Amino acid sequence: MDSQTDPQIRDVEINMPPSDSVSELAFNPKANFLAAASWDNEVRIWEVMETGASAGKASYSHEAPALCCAWSRDGSKVASGGADKAGRMLDIGTGQTIQVAQHDGPIRCIKFVEAENSSPIIATASWDKTLKYWDLRQQSPIGTVNLPDRAYAMDCNHPLLVVATAERKIQIFNLSSPTTPFETADSPLKWQTRTVSCFTTGDGYAIGSIEGRVGIQYVDPKLKDKSFSFKCHRDTTRTIETQVYSINSITHHPIYGTFVTGANDGSFTSWDKDSRHKLKTYAKLGSPILSTAFSGDGKLFAYAIGYDWAQGYKGNVGTIKNTIKLHAVLDEDVKPKQR
């Protein structure tokens, strides 16, 4: 079958998708539960079968748009942040929802950042220009860091934590010293940051911007010369000027360490950073890809389609369907090429 038609023909739509744009997708690392935070204030969890069929498992609400979500290491809890300035958490086993964080501005990013076999610690990054750490056994933050600007994106692969803010600033933390930045730097990309994703090896991160460009950045000073950037998700067929698209999501494959970019051009592409090679470009789906996630075993890939609000409320004319689709991952599409 022609790979350019695979996603549209074989991918399966999630059962009862959100009614508004998805802000973040997150797969449970231990089981096939998919969480989605969305602009209709809801966080939803589905159980996904191997066939791609799905069933609603649970849901809970924020008092304003839900902007981010993440699973705990053991897969027993999902946490989320919202424009209501609150961090909330659902225990999958008990069904209980509690508030676990509070900021003076919307919480744009949330991650579980504890070490393996440790008590859960949540990190929240906000438009109030702070990063806070929360021990679930305490009501007050156990640490607060003043960020260079409003938080736009964050990812963690313990002990590495990367926070990207407005004005193209990056703060990198070694979680052995969680309140002291290991490094503060400018993004290698010239335009606004949209997404960051830590390497599975924990020695660096990928960063994507609104200008159709991805940066591969190593944290160890000895590896800095391996860092590079590349252009992608661009339409070069235009005769007057190249159309560039925002990179909305970067997700690393949990087994192979390759990664997938999802963008406003409605396509996703898999890449091998080590060989600097494009592995697979999928057919354009006609609507922006807002967020992506791999299942814990890397066999399923979820992507959210919808309006990205790039043109404001006037651009939301109701012609773009908000939905989530599930794609069965083929090894040859994500496995690194032999060098």
Side-chain angles (χ1 to χ4, degrees):
M1 183 182 293
D2 183 355
S3 64
Q4 291 298 301
T5 60
D6 279 2
Q8 291 161 309
I9 292 178
R10 302 193 304 187
D11 292 359
V12 180
E13 186 173 22
I14 203 83
N15 183 45
M16 298 183 67
S19 60
D20 208 338
S21 301
V22 170
S23 52
E24 186 165 23
L25 295 175
F27 252 117
N28 187 310
K30 303 297 185 182
N32 278 351
F33 293 138
L34 177 67
S38 53
W39 280 78
D40 60 4
N41 303 4
E42 293 289 307
V43 179
R44 296 172 174 83
I45 297 95
W46 296 266
E47 183 174 7
V48 181
M49 320 304 173
E50 289 186 3
T51 60
S54 58
K57 175 75 173 176
S59 67
Y60 64 95
S61 300
H62 281 261
E63 296 174 4
L67 302 178
C68 52
C69 61
W71 289 92
S72 59
R73 276 181 174 266
D74 65 2
S76 67
K77 301 173 181 64
V78 62
S80 58
D84 57 358
K85 309 174 186 178
R88 305 182 190 276
M89 186 185 74
L90 171 70
D91 186 304
I92 295 297
T94 66
Q96 181 183 13
T97 305
I98 59 172
Q99 183 170 340
V100 293
Q102 183 71 43
H103 277 263
D104 294 329
I107 296 176
R108 181 63 184 89
C109 315
I110 194 165
K111 296 292 177 187
F112 285 85
V113 299
E114 71 276 3
E116 193 78 48
N117 300 318
S118 298
S119 298
I121 301 293
I122 289 175
T124 52
S126 169
W127 290 344
D128 67 8
K129 304 181 184 180
T130 65
L131 168 68
K132 295 184 179 182
Y133 298 96
W134 307 85
D135 186 322
L136 301 183
R137 298 165 295 187
Q138 302 180 30
Q139 290 189 336
S140 299
I142 57 173
T144 300
V145 180
N146 291 320
L147 297 171
D149 213 307
R150 303 178 306 282
Y152 281 173
M154 179 171 74
D155 197 24
C156 177
N157 184 2
H158 196 280
L160 176 65
L161 176 71
V162 180
V163 185
T165 74
E167 301 301 324
R168 300 174 45 253
K169 296 297 183 183
I170 307 290
Q171 280 205 323
I172 300 167
F173 296 85
N174 182 331
L175 289 171
S176 60
S177 302
T179 57
T180 303
F182 171 77
E183 181 183 359
T184 300
D186 289 334
S187 167
L189 311 179
K190 296 179 180 179
W191 295 86
Q192 178 182 309
T193 302
R194 284 287 288 143
T195 181
V196 295
S197 180
C198 294
F199 302 162
T200 55
T201 49
D203 56 354
Y205 60 93
I207 181 170
S209 76
I210 62 171
E211 189 229 355
R213 208 179 278 264
V214 170
I216 302 299
Q217 294 294 112
Y218 288 85
V219 175
D220 187 337
K222 298 177 182 177
L223 299 175
K224 289 284 189 181
D225 59 353
K226 292 180 63 177
S227 299
F228 67 99
S229 300
F230 64 94
K231 301 174 184 178
C232 53
H233 296 282
R234 296 175 172 224
D235 183 357
T236 58
T237 63
R238 295 162 63 103
T239 56
I240 300 176
E241 61 182 12
T242 299
Q243 177 72 42
V244 298
Y245 295 93
S246 172
I247 311 297
N248 294 329
S249 182
I250 299 175
T251 307
H252 281 84
H253 191 273
I255 307 302
Y256 293 125
T258 54
F259 65 91
V260 171
T261 52
N264 270 8
D265 63 353
S267 73
F268 52 94
T269 302
S270 55
W271 309 87
D272 177 5
K273 75 177 190 318
D274 296 325
S275 66
R276 302 193 180 191
H277 187 80
K278 180 192 294 184
L279 298 175
K280 173 92 168 183
T281 298
Y282 296 83
K284 292 185 178 180
L285 299 165
S287 304
I289 292 179
L290 307 177
S291 184
T292 58
F294 279 110
S295 59
D297 60 8
K299 294 181 180 180
L300 287 173
F301 177 75
Y303 58 94
I305 304 170
Y307 182 57
D308 65 348
W309 297 99
Q311 305 301 319
Y313 74 93
K314 292 182 179 179
N316 188 18
V317 295
T319 57
I320 298 177
K321 180 182 180 181
N322 296 297
T323 192
I324 300 167
K325 290 195 173 184
L326 298 163
H327 174 78
V329 178
L330 300 177
D331 249 24
E332 58 262 33
D333 294 346
V334 293
K335 193 173 184 178
K337 299 295 183 183
Q338 295 295 322
R339 286 184 287 173

